[in-house]
Amino acid sequence: MRSLGSRLLHGVVSNPLVVLLVIMVAAVQISTGAQLTGGNIRGVLQDAAIIAIVAIPIAMLVIAGYIDLSVGSTLALGGVIAALTMHATGSAILALVAAVGAGMLVGIVNAILITFVGLSSFITTLGMLAAVRGVAQLVAPLPISGFDVSFSVFGIGAVAGVPVSALIAFVLLLVAGFFLTMTPSGRHVYAIGVNREAAYLSGVSVRRIPFFLYMFSGAAAGLAGALTVARLNSAPAGQLGVGFELSVLTAVLLGGIILTGGGGNMFGVLVGVLFMGFLSNSLTLLGVSTFWQNVASGAALVAAIAINAGTQILRGKLMARDAERLARRAREAAEPAPVAAAQK
């Protein structure tokens, strides 16, 4: 069995961001006294929830060896579609459904081009980033505002003090975690990311699974767009979701999702999202200008990749050390007991 120190070391190596998150929150709380107030935490959760809703499918795509850079523009399209539907029908539910449907349509286009046509996921979704933004601006050239309270509740409402958007994100996180760990298709996501050819030869559907992941990614971005518009009470197509894909990718990588595919989990994504939310909030509380906040966000992305790579190297060394220790114990157990020096 591992010693307590060894277990703690493995825990820190597996989730180094947890330690950094606790230190950051504690330091800002001591400095400002405002980090852990109820209102501030609700604000952080509202910001983090939007990132989390989209980070969940993006994490699964990265685990499978793919990427989706179009989610920021898809969020904008989902937002304006939700706004138009809300004005046309007065139904908040229909507005959410329309936003999810619009996002899913973008996801289907991405999926067809990538999984069936065989185009690069990076190039395809980068092109869709511009194309979908243009569509959103064509659909709504001017900002749309003025929504019924039944729609606004999805953006600013709360249940027992917890924002509605955060509850939605938490449910999606639980479902995604269950899918990845408890279902054959979830395990196939990892298999595709580790070795696509080997997964195909093993009977894994290397097209169907990424196809549905892209649909999920688009639908989640559309939903995030509707929730964002409900919170802002406005839908400016040109500003919604600008740079959002970088925030999502940073949270995913900070959460320990391996960029090359095949590794990571939903708990790490949760930690990464919370870290991004508290980082932005901490800089605001400390009075850091928006320009330096952008610098910090970019630095966080670089740090995420560095931490990701460093963690993998250290984890490999720890695994090698444990394997060597087990092998040594096995050799010692296999050796014959020493013969007594004298037998009488």
Side-chain angles (χ1 to χ4, degrees):
M1 294 180 64
R2 293 177 181 172
S3 65
L4 177 60
S6 178
R7 289 198 297 270
L8 288 174
L9 180 59
H10 275 268
V12 172
V13 169
S14 299
N15 301 287
L17 203 65
V18 175
V19 178
L20 296 177
L21 176 60
V22 171
I23 292 173
M24 178 180 67
V25 171
V28 176
Q29 174 63 20
I30 292 171
S31 299
T32 67
Q35 180 85 90
L36 297 179
T37 61
N40 188 68
I41 291 177
R42 281 193 295 273
V44 171
L45 289 178
Q46 285 178 327
D47 290 336
I50 302 301
I51 297 177
I53 288 170
V54 183
I56 292 166
I58 294 299
M60 290 195 284
L61 277 170
V62 174
I63 290 172
Y66 295 87
I67 198 167
D68 187 353
L69 298 176
S70 65
V71 289
S73 297
T74 305
L75 181 150
L77 179 62
V80 299
I81 292 297
L84 290 171
T85 304
M86 189 63 203
H87 275 307
T89 67
S91 170
I93 299 301
L94 284 179
L96 292 177
V97 171
V100 170
M104 188 178 294
L105 182 61
V106 175
I108 290 173
V109 174
N110 282 332
I112 292 174
L113 293 175
I114 293 166
T115 62
F116 286 95
V117 179
L119 300 181
S120 162
S121 63
F122 181 88
I123 298 300
T124 300
T125 57
L126 185 62
M128 290 291 284
L129 173 69
V132 175
R133 174 73 61 182
V135 172
Q137 290 176 305
L138 287 172
V139 171
L142 298 175
I144 307 169
S145 60
F147 306 112
D148 187 77
V149 67
S150 62
F151 183 54
S152 299
V153 70
F154 288 99
I156 60 177
V159 177
V162 181
V164 172
S165 55
L167 292 174
I168 294 173
F170 185 68
V171 170
L172 289 177
L173 193 73
L174 290 179
V175 172
F178 178 85
F179 170 76
L180 283 177
T181 58
M182 303 300 292
T183 67
S185 294
R187 292 188 286 273
H188 291 167
V189 172
Y190 288 97
I192 294 172
V194 171
N195 190 316
R196 191 173 187 273
E197 288 72 20
Y200 173 75
L201 293 175
S202 300
V204 174
S205 179
V206 296
R207 285 183 174 177
R208 179 177 58 85
I209 291 175
F211 190 98
F212 282 105
L213 290 181
Y214 272 109
M215 286 180 59
F216 181 24
S217 175
L223 173 61
L227 296 177
T228 301
V229 168
R231 183 182 180 186
L232 298 176
N233 197 35
S234 178
Q239 285 77 46
L240 279 175
V242 173
F244 181 72
E245 57 282 336
L246 292 181
S247 298
V248 171
L249 188 58
T250 302
V252 166
L253 296 180
L254 279 172
I257 304 298
I258 301 175
L259 188 58
T260 53
N265 55 66
M266 287 298 113
F267 175 75
V269 173
L270 173 62
V271 175
V273 167
L274 289 176
F275 185 88
M276 288 295 294
F278 275 104
L279 174 62
S280 176
N281 179 256
S282 298
L283 294 174
T284 300
L285 290 177
L286 293 172
V288 178
S289 71
T290 304
F291 304 112
W292 282 108
Q293 289 189 33
N294 291 334
V295 172
S297 298
L301 178 57
V302 176
I305 297 173
I307 291 173
N308 199 308
T311 300
Q312 294 307 311
I313 293 172
L314 187 53
R315 185 181 293 134
K317 290 182 177 180
L318 289 174
M319 291 176 64
R321 189 188 68 178
D322 288 346
E324 183 180 354
R325 183 185 297 117
L326 291 173
R328 184 171 63 250
R329 290 179 179 176
R331 288 195 300 269
E332 292 173 352
E335 291 177 356
V339 179
Q343 295 182 350
K344 295 183 180 180

